[in-house]
Amino acid sequence: MTATPAPALSARVRELTQADHHEAETSTFITDLMGGLRSARDYALLLSQYEHIYHQLEDSVALARVTSPTPVADLFDPLLERAPFIRQDLLNLLPVAGLDEAPAELPSTRAYVRRIAEVEHDHARLAAHHYLRYLGDLSGGQAIGTMVSRHYGLTEEHLAMYRFEGIEKPKVYKDGYRLKLDSLGLTPEQEDAFIEEASRGFQFNKDMFRDLDGLSRRLAGVAA
């Protein structure tokens, strides 16, 4: 009797982190932001934390491109990089948001950044953070860009983060990314590490959204 093939990594990680994903995307801060209950300032607060995360991620990925096996290096497509666009968005957004400068790195963000740095030589775990951030940007991130534009009057000069030049069809690109993920040739132990790290990444996001909610409330109190 022929054994049933094991599920592909992309299917396993989606299934096994579904609850973590749901908890992160339904955090109060992010659901309020997308529901029009926040402000341009709150979106600027979010971007200010993303700047730290993507800076570290893209530094780590640049190193991995020259030290990792070819399938992993191919997954780490430079077309996905967001840090320069986030910086430009913040420059344009801070005056609109009534902020003189971007807020400092929050404790949860600092922990997130530190973890990415810790796993930069573990390519399975680093790939999990890559997967989480960029496929998220090509999926729910597109909805965030649309909703904050609609609710808070933001324009293209504030939303470059969500424009992926060179990726004409995000759905096609995401399907190709998942195929690359499934072809990395990871061992069962490495696949388990990938899934564990993706779950941890969702927790970092939940923690960051919680801290952003607290920061927003503190700033609102000062403003009042």
Side-chain angles (χ1 to χ4, degrees), residues 141-214:
Q142 301 300 300
I144 292 175
T146 298
M147 298 307 284
V148 297
S149 175
R150 180 182 305 168
H151 292 312
Y152 311 119
L154 303 183
T155 65
E156 287 190 359
E157 68 177 359
H158 308 120
L159 299 167
M161 176 180 177
Y162 301 112
R163 292 196 302 274
F164 286 82
E165 303 294 341
I167 299 178
E168 295 182 6
K169 298 179 179 179
K171 171 66 166 60
V172 173
Y173 187 93
K174 289 187 293 181
D175 288 346
Y177 183 103
R178 292 187 182 98
L179 287 174
K180 287 182 180 180
L181 191 62
D182 296 337
S183 302
L184 290 181
L186 301 182
T187 66
E189 292 77 16
Q190 287 174 317
E191 288 200 1
D192 289 345
F194 179 100
I195 293 166
E196 178 188 57
E197 198 67 28
S199 179
R200 186 179 298 207
F202 282 121
Q203 182 62 54
F204 281 126
N205 278 277
K206 286 191 293 181
D207 293 345
M208 183 179 67
F209 294 148
R210 180 202 62 220
D211 281 0
L212 280 165
D213 188 53

Side-chain angles (χ1 to χ4, degrees), residues 10-221:
S10 60
R12 289 184 65 213
V13 69
R14 182 183 293 182
E15 178 185 356
L16 296 176
T17 62
Q18 186 174 13
D20 297 311
H21 189 177
H22 178 73
E23 288 179 14
E25 71 181 2
T26 56
S27 297
T28 299
F29 179 86
I30 201 69
T31 54
D32 283 357
L33 186 69
M34 291 188 67
L37 303 177
R38 295 283 178 161
S39 64
R41 182 176 66 188
D42 282 332
Y43 180 62
L45 299 182
L46 176 63
L47 276 191
S48 72
Q49 302 309 300
Y50 279 170
E51 183 177 21
H52 298 289
I53 294 164
Y54 283 84
H55 178 76
Q56 179 60 61
L57 179 58
E58 289 166 14
D59 278 356
S60 296
V61 164
L63 175 64
R65 280 197 199 99
V66 297
T67 61
S68 62
T70 299
V72 177
D74 287 346
L75 185 75
F76 294 156
D77 185 353
L79 285 177
L80 295 170
E81 293 181 355
R82 298 291 92 196
F85 303 106
I86 294 171
R87 284 193 289 272
Q88 188 59 50
D89 283 348
L90 274 172
L91 286 173
N92 295 328
L93 182 59
L94 290 175
V96 175
L99 294 169
D100 295 328
E101 60 184 5
E105 194 177 34
L106 292 166
S108 53
T109 307
R110 191 176 305 116
Y112 195 172
V113 168
R114 184 167 57 242
R115 180 58 183 175
I116 293 171
E118 287 172 353
V119 302
E120 68 179 9
H121 296 293
D122 184 332
H123 299 145
R125 291 185 181 273
L126 180 61
H129 290 287
H130 191 272
Y131 159 84
L132 201 65
R133 290 258 50 100
Y134 297 116
L135 252 63
D137 294 335
L138 286 165
S139 300
Q142 301 300 300
I144 292 175
T146 298
M147 298 307 284
V148 297
S149 175
R150 180 182 305 168
H151 292 312
Y152 311 119
L154 303 183
T155 65
E156 287 190 359
E157 68 177 359
H158 308 120
L159 299 167
M161 176 180 177
Y162 301 112
R163 292 196 302 274
F164 286 82
E165 303 294 341
I167 299 178
E168 295 182 6
K169 298 179 179 179
K171 171 66 166 60
V172 173
Y173 187 93
K174 289 187 293 181
D175 288 346
Y177 183 103
R178 292 187 182 98
L179 287 174
K180 287 182 180 180
L181 191 62
D182 296 337
S183 302
L184 290 181
L186 301 182
T187 66
E189 292 77 16
Q190 287 174 317
E191 288 200 1
D192 289 345
F194 179 100
I195 293 166
E196 178 188 57
E197 198 67 28
S199 179
R200 186 179 298 207
F202 282 121
Q203 182 62 54
F204 281 126
N205 278 277
K206 286 191 293 181
D207 293 345
M208 183 179 67
F209 294 148
R210 180 202 62 220
D211 281 0
L212 280 165
D213 188 53
L215 175 60
S216 175
R217 292 176 188 277
R218 290 194 297 277
L219 289 176

